[in-house]
Amino acid sequence: MKQNLWINGESVETEKYRQLSNPFNGEKIADVAEAGKDDVIRAIDSAAGAARAMAEMDAHKRSDILRRVAEFIQEDREECARLIAEESSKPLKIARGEVDRTIMTYTFASEEARRIHGETIPMDAAPGGEGRVAYTVREPLGVIAAITPFNFPMNLVAHKVGPAIAAGNTVVLKPASQTPLSAYKIASYFHRAGLPAGALNVITGSGKSIGDVLISDDRVQMVTFTGSPEVGKHIRENAGLKRVTLELGSNSALIVDEGTDFNKVMPRIVTGAFSNQGQVCISIQRIFLHESIADEFVSTFVEEAGKLKVGDPLDEQTDLAAMISANDVTRAKTWIQDAVENGAELVYGGESEKQILKPTVLLNAQLTDKISCEEVFAPVVHINTFKEFDDALAQVNDSQFGLQAGVYTKDLQKAFKAAKILHVGGVMINDIPTFRVDHMPYGGVKMSGNGREGIKYALEEMTELKLVSIKLD
């Protein structure tokens, strides 16, 4: 299979192609186009050329296009899930869940396209404002560059493309190099749904070379990026006056307080820790347990982790498959070994076979170990204990990241205290930090980024507020 670029509503060949392989078995999936600088400029030309048509398109027409895309994905649900599983090694049953969420995300985008509105401003509230009627409107920014990661190759594309199209913008999409086919498939659905040529362009290739062209072109009004803090900082520092939203990951923490019926919630905690091989920005990486429940919790957690089936992502029973690259396996194992050398106890896992890293559980890691203070993005969890609830809150906050945190407690006062004290973008009380539904505001603080996703909130990021004031006679 040969996958070309998608520019101005057409499949476009380029000079260079790269082999895309299945992370689990190494089999060739496709030859994927590698965009050069001229290709990127052509994609921006196309998006800029379509910007006026999109800005002038009626809201109900944008809404209908997004609704039709959701319907096409629903029709091809199994095909989409298998594509995700093949190019990202996401277990098939989890990939189906991503497809379902993608359908919901585009459905929300379709609905929000009809709800974009402003407000009236009482100008006479200030002396000198009398005799005026004023209101606000929201207008599209224009060309938006969207750069997406591998771990949710359809739904994280939807979280950028959906609100951008709903607001009347045009998009140049750069998907992750390992998961481009999902993005190209979405582009084909938009084409079938009647999106004007040029409104959505998909280009693949080197992240740095493509990204540098996107952020340096004055016609690009906004960059929305999900990925590493290093790349996010580079974008922020070089984007000039462009609007920038960044989702840069985390080392998400879970507090389990005394009195928690952890047997009841254990399956959910295990899922939050190891789903998609831990390659989730809000995957549970750090668990802080009250000392009174620590021994029993750890025993049960390790037992449940041991029940996870590891293997082929296309096997219906598989819970955990290959990581996205061999280098990521090596990195995670190095961090595990460093933590053990610094005094952590490895109680389960730590071994790998090819690109599969077994679920791994460490006890009493130092908070300065990379396995704790950096984003591991692997099926690795470390568990530490606390005596006082305030100490647990302090340990969660002792991080350069702040995306989401989870707290299990039966004490309402502690719950409200956690909600106030935890310096993160979202606090999940009596749930795991991995919880997300696609209409809620989602984003972080500190090194986890800035701006918010969730269709309604992303729409606000992707529009400009204009004031109209009319002086009456």
Side-chain angles (χ1 to χ4, degrees), residues 257-259 262 289-296 385-387:
D257 194 20
E258 58 184 331
F262 57 80
L289 304 175
H290 190 273
E291 59 185 15
S292 65
I293 62 172
D295 290 344
E296 188 178 354
T385 61
F386 66 89
K387 183 175 182 179

Side-chain angles (χ1 to χ4, degrees), residues 221-431:
Q221 299 299 308
M222 176 181 179
V223 180
T224 173
F225 170 79
T226 299
S228 71
E230 293 76 20
V231 175
K233 287 176 67 177
H234 175 78
I235 291 172
R236 166 65 71 187
E237 291 166 359
N238 291 276
L241 296 179
K242 289 178 174 60
R243 191 169 296 186
V244 177
T245 60
L246 304 171
E247 198 278 273
L248 307 178
S250 192
N251 57 347
S252 295
L254 175 68
I255 296 172
V256 186
D257 194 20
E258 58 184 331
T260 300
D261 183 0
F262 57 80
N263 287 304
K264 179 180 178 181
V265 299
M266 187 61 73
R268 185 156 178 78
I269 296 175
V270 170
T271 297
F274 301 120
S275 180
N276 196 27
Q277 297 77 260
Q279 297 168 137
V280 181
C281 295
I282 42 178
S283 179
I284 300 172
Q285 183 172 329
R286 302 179 292 156
I287 300 178
F288 298 100
L289 304 175
H290 190 273
E291 59 185 15
S292 65
I293 62 172
D295 290 344
E296 188 178 354
F297 181 101
V298 170
S299 176
T300 305
F301 185 78
V302 169
E303 181 181 351
E304 291 299 315
K307 295 177 183 178
L308 296 174
K309 181 175 179 180
V310 177
D312 187 342
L314 293 178
D315 185 328
E316 295 282 355
Q317 304 304 314
T318 295
D319 299 301
L320 190 145
M323 291 180 63
I324 201 66
S325 75
N327 287 340
D328 284 294
V329 176
T330 301
R331 173 187 55 78
K333 290 181 70 175
T334 299
W335 290 8
I336 293 165
Q337 185 59 39
D338 288 347
V340 170
E341 291 176 358
N342 287 337
E345 180 184 357
L346 178 63
V347 294
Y348 187 74
E351 307 95 8
S352 65
E353 181 179 352
K354 296 183 179 178
Q355 282 184 213
I356 296 178
L357 177 63
K358 286 185 63 175
T360 300
V361 184
L362 295 155
L363 302 182
N364 302 316
Q366 301 294 319
L367 299 188
T368 53
D369 290 337
K370 285 188 175 181
I371 211 71
S372 179
C373 68
E374 301 288 346
E375 182 179 43
V376 66
F377 227 57
V380 182
V381 173
H382 83 75
I383 301 175
N384 291 25
T385 61
F386 66 89
K387 183 175 182 179
E388 300 295 334
F389 191 74
D390 286 356
D391 293 336
L393 298 178
Q395 290 180 92
V396 172
N397 280 341
D398 185 13
S399 169
Q400 63 181 321
F401 300 108
L403 190 47
Q404 293 193 166
V407 180
Y408 281 104
T409 181
K410 291 185 175 181
D411 187 324
L412 190 60
Q413 296 299 319
K414 289 180 178 178
F416 277 110
K417 187 171 191 177
K420 182 177 181 180
I421 295 296
L422 290 176
H423 191 201
V424 292
V427 179
M428 308 297 126
I429 302 296
N430 289 328
D431 209 344

Side-chain angles (χ1 to χ4, degrees), residues 23-96:
F24 173 70
N25 56 28
E27 293 180 0
K28 179 179 176 179
I29 301 174
D31 290 313
V32 179
E34 293 270 288
K37 180 178 179 180
D38 289 345
D39 297 313
V40 183
I41 293 173
R42 183 177 175 182
I44 299 171
D45 290 342
S46 174
R52 173 169 289 187
M54 280 301 296
E56 294 177 351
M57 182 182 289
D58 295 332
H60 70 88
K61 292 180 180 179
R62 301 195 303 270
S63 176
D64 287 344
I65 289 170
L66 289 157
R67 175 183 52 78
R68 285 194 289 271
V69 169
E71 291 170 351
F72 293 150
I73 299 170
Q74 181 66 62
E75 292 170 5
D76 293 345
R77 178 177 182 265
E78 189 65 16
E79 180 184 345
C80 290
R82 294 186 74 85
L83 178 59
I84 292 170
E86 287 174 357
E87 66 176 352
S88 74
S89 193
K90 178 174 287 188
L92 185 58
K93 60 186 177 183
I94 302 173
R96 290 193 186 106

